[in-house]
Structures are given as structure tokens and as C-alpha cells.
Amino acid sequence: GRGYADVVLIPRKNVNKPAIVIELKSNETASRAIAQIKDRHYTDKVAEYTGDILLVGINYDKETKEHECQIETWHK
């Protein structure tokens, strides 16, 4: 649905690990997936989490059957 990331992982309290927001694409680009996370403010969904957030964009090319992944760190 519109306004939701494909996968969001939030670590348990008192665990020093980043939250992760993952957006999956097909026949686009991993950078487009990262841009969608930012454009649609998916990081707001984990606003209660105070640490860094990893933004993960994954694209699958149906023709070549290859995956592309891009990871960025989002600092609050």
C-alpha cells in the first residue's frame, strides 16, 4: 500500500543495532528504492527509534535475473 515500506526491522530495546527500512523493486534500480524511502518518509514510521536507520534498496531485474542492492545510513 501507499506510504508503507516493504520491510521494517526494529531492534529490541537496549540493543545497540540500527533499525532497517527495506524497499524492494522489480526492473527499476536500487537507488530508486532508496529515493522512495526518502520521498515517502518511511523513516517516520520508526520515529520512536532513536538510533541510526539503515535504508536498504533492493532491485531484481527479471530479464537478467540479477539483484542490485544499495545501503545508506540515515542519521536522525
Side-chain angles (χ1 to χ4, degrees):
R2 186 166 175 82
Y4 298 97
D6 290 319
V7 179
V8 175
L9 303 169
I10 301 174
R12 294 181 183 168
K13 293 182 190 257
N14 302 318
V15 175
N16 190 19
K17 301 285 182 185
I20 303 172
V21 178
I22 302 170
E23 181 63 28
L24 306 171
K25 292 289 178 194
S26 178
N27 292 331
E28 292 194 34
T29 64
S31 60
R32 176 64 202 117
I34 294 286
Q36 180 174 326
I37 293 171
K38 294 175 181 178
D39 294 345
R40 295 189 183 175
H41 306 283
Y42 292 164
T43 55
D44 292 351
K45 307 295 183 201
V46 291
E48 73 280 355
Y49 182 73
T50 58
D52 289 340
I53 302 171
L54 292 180
L55 311 182
V56 180
I58 301 172
N59 179 61
Y60 175 71
D61 188 310
K62 291 180 182 178
E63 192 172 303
T64 65
K65 303 205 183 308
E66 292 182 357
H67 291 84
E68 170 193 17
C69 180
Q70 180 177 336
I71 301 171
E72 290 185 16
T73 302
W74 180 269
H75 305 283
K76 287 179 119 179

